[in-house]
Amino acid sequence: MSHLTSAGVAGRIEDLYGAPLADLEAHACGQAPGMLSALLGMHGTLALAERSIDFHRDHLARLIHPERQVGRHEVSHLLDGVRRLAEAVAVRDVQAKSLDAVLQSLARVPAPPSPAVPASPLPAPALPCQSTAHSR
């Protein structure tokens, strides 16, 4: 099964918004929560799950190294490591599937065409509480 990676998601977000991820993250910090901040949050969770998978896989590999004895004490560590690895894989799979669905539903909106002739400024409307008669 092919998984959408955090690097792949980052590229798709950059394509969608037309800017590098670091710039988008900086921009999102000063904005109200919206689609961009949601995508960046999901991307962060996916990246964290990927790092967790790597960490727990490496930890398990050290625990079951051929030159190492596996005793009663190590068995509990093995089981805990396997559980944590399975949790990280589950989080990664859910995040990747959700992100893929959201990103497929979004499309980059083309920039509106710039007007050929600049529009003339409209006169400011008179406020209803102000009179147009001159005061003495």
Side-chain angles (χ1 to χ4, degrees), residues 31-42:
Q31 302 295 316
M35 181 56 72
L36 177 58
S37 61
L39 289 171
L40 293 173
M42 293 172 74

Side-chain angles (χ1 to χ4, degrees), residues 10 31-32 52 108 110:
Q31 302 295 316
S52 184
R108 187 168 186 193

